[in-house]
Amino acid sequence: MTFQNVGYIRVSTLIQNTARQLDGVHLDKVFEDKNTDRPQLSACLAHLRERDVLHVHSMDRLCRNLDDLRRIVKVLTSRGVVVKFHKEGLIFNGDDSPMSNLLLS
């Protein structure tokens, strides 16, 4: 089974530039939101499959608060999806070690 490198990019307004997020990262598919409704996040979450890697520029681009971040990462990793935050240099793959949970917080 092959996997995809999937990117999720979000800015808060239509006039903000998304170019710097995930620049230079090879991605097979990209989902991009330019508002706070995040319809493409829902599409991205539905698209991801086991062994896929979700690339996100930074934690604050994926979520609205800490509870949201924990929920999304937990749901994805329980499905076998790897989540990579480039700015923070963190990768989550379902390892629920105390250190992994601390870094997520």
Side-chain angles (χ1 to χ4, degrees):
M1 181 164 120
T2 61
F3 71 93
Q4 285 189 319
N5 285 298
V6 177
Y8 177 68
I9 296 171
R10 181 182 66 81
V11 292
S12 300
T13 66
L14 292 172
I15 61 171
Q16 289 178 308
N17 188 352
T18 60
R20 72 174 181 90
Q21 293 185 35
L22 303 177
D23 185 38
V25 178
H26 168 74
L27 300 169
D28 300 303
K29 185 155 183 71
V30 177
F31 293 87
E32 185 175 304
D33 277 321
K34 290 194 172 191
N35 58 40
T36 56
D37 294 339
R38 306 186 303 171
Q40 288 300 299
L41 176 60
S42 297
C44 178
L45 298 178
H47 174 82
L48 290 163
R49 302 289 181 252
E50 184 177 2
R51 297 187 61 214
D52 285 351
V53 179
L54 175 62
H55 297 265
V56 184
H57 174 70
S58 63
M59 290 179 176
D60 67 323
R61 299 295 85 200
L62 182 64
C63 64
R64 294 190 175 164
N65 57 51
L66 184 56
D67 290 337
D68 197 24
L69 175 66
R70 286 181 180 153
R71 181 187 57 77
I72 291 171
V73 170
K74 183 176 182 175
V75 165
L76 290 175
T77 57
S78 71
R79 290 176 26 203
V81 175
V82 174
V83 181
K84 182 172 183 177
F85 296 104
H86 288 262
K87 183 177 178 182
E88 293 87 356
L90 298 173
I91 299 173
F92 296 92
N93 59 10
D95 171 20
D96 286 337
S97 70
M99 181 57 78
S100 179
N101 287 326
L102 176 64
L103 291 172
L104 188 57
S105 296

